[in-house]
Amino acid sequence: DAGVTQSPTHLIKTRGQQVTLRCSPISGHKSVSWYQQVLGQGPQFIFQYYEKEERGRGNFPDRFSARQFPNYSSELNVNALLLGDSALYLCASSPGQSNQPQHFGDGTRLSIL
Amino acid sequence: DQQVKQNSPSLSVQEGRISILNCDYTNSMFDYFLWYKKYPAEGPTFLISISSIKDKNEDGRFTVFLNKSAKHLSLHIVPSQPGDSAVYFCAASGSGGSNYKLTFGKGTLLTVNP
């Protein structure tokens, strides 16, 4: 079975631009979460969606937004990119029930010039 | 304020010996804890988890111990193998189980020498 897939794998943008990252969850998983990992740190929670509704939001500015589609795939949008947005963006999916671990994709490496 | 702390940035062990990775947390509302392993250029891979109602969970070579009074957990790998060399992240979640947001530590780089 396919795992969590993310696209693109790498992306280079300049300051002020906008970016959209995509995630397809494991088949049957209804919950998708987004995390940002900067060098030397652990992943930091950005959003969680379940059944197309936002379930949780981390401490990120309004430049960050996301949505989940009827097929449970998800997009993360970041506007007005800053140099500090350079990071690995990870998507994780889970079935949606309690105590089922989140499974991660390989991430999108975003570089801001 | 870091709520999940992995105070050892790196650990080196010999093949066949035990690896012990440690993690401390400060938020008493955390009730579910997980360990993930991460190789370069890959996403984190789930290893093992433990609920706050337990103090030990075992899966093959991996055992996680939880000491709630000390707000401390550890991952034991026995015997360690060279393929275990990776960054290990401790993560915690609050009410709602592992489906709720995960709070991660900074990770510990484990190197297992042949």
Side-chain angles (χ1 to χ4, degrees):
Chain A
D1 286 344
V4 177
T5 57
Q6 293 187 242
S7 63
T9 54
H10 294 87
L11 203 51
I12 299 175
K13 292 285 188 179
T14 57
R15 283 179 295 174
Q17 284 189 311
Q18 175 265 341
V19 68
T20 298
L21 311 180
R22 295 176 176 82
C23 172
S24 292
I26 292 171
S27 177
H29 285 192
K30 298 180 179 180
S31 177
V32 169
S33 300
W34 288 94
Y35 293 81
Q36 180 196 64
Q37 186 182 14
V38 299
L39 199 61
Q41 302 290 321
Q44 187 173 0
F45 174 78
I46 310 175
F47 286 109
Q48 186 181 78
Y49 278 78
Y50 176 68
E51 289 281 16
K52 302 178 286 295
E53 297 290 327
E54 182 182 301
R55 178 186 277 185
R57 171 186 285 254
N59 188 24
F60 279 81
D62 292 343
R63 299 184 295 108
F64 289 76
S65 63
R67 55 180 175 169
Q68 187 177 33
F69 298 98
N71 66 353
Y72 303 110
S73 67
S74 178
E75 286 182 351
L76 175 70
N77 295 285
V78 187
N79 294 323
L81 287 166
L82 303 174
L83 292 178
D85 295 329
S86 295
L88 179 68
Y89 288 85
L90 294 162
C91 174
S93 76
S94 63
Q97 293 86 19
S98 293
N99 294 346
Q100 293 292 312
Q102 296 181 25
H103 296 272
F104 285 81
D106 288 339
T108 293
R109 173 69 63 185
L110 175 63
S111 299
I112 312 301
L113 302 180
Chain B
D1 179 33
Q2 255 201 306
Q3 298 185 68
V4 176
K5 299 178 184 179
Q6 295 177 257
N7 291 321
S8 297
S10 63
L11 174 68
S12 182
V13 300
Q14 287 298 120
E15 181 178 4
R17 307 293 288 267
I18 184 172
S19 295
I20 300 176
L21 297 104
N22 294 303
C23 178
D24 297 294
Y25 62 96
T26 58
N27 189 339
S28 57
M29 297 301 291
F30 288 145
D31 64 1
Y32 199 75
F33 303 90
L34 307 91
W35 285 94
Y36 285 85
K37 175 174 72 174
K38 187 178 185 302
Y39 294 119
E42 294 184 11
T45 300
F46 170 73
L47 273 177
I48 192 169
S49 61
I50 188 167
S51 166
S52 60
I53 63 173
K54 296 185 176 181
D55 54 18
K56 177 182 174 181
N57 189 26
E58 192 171 353
D59 184 1
R61 297 186 298 115
F62 302 92
T63 302
V64 56
F65 295 91
L66 175 62
N67 183 334
K68 289 188 292 293
S69 60
K71 293 190 176 66
H72 177 84
L73 64 156
S74 60
L75 174 68
H76 293 211
I77 306 174
V78 183
S80 301
Q81 300 173 352
D84 295 330
S85 298
V87 177
Y88 288 77
F89 289 100
C90 170
S93 70
S95 58
S98 63
N99 289 296
Y100 197 60
K101 69 175 185 178
L102 297 177
T103 301
F104 284 84
K106 289 186 177 182
T108 297
L109 173 62
L110 173 65
T111 302
V112 180
N113 301 301

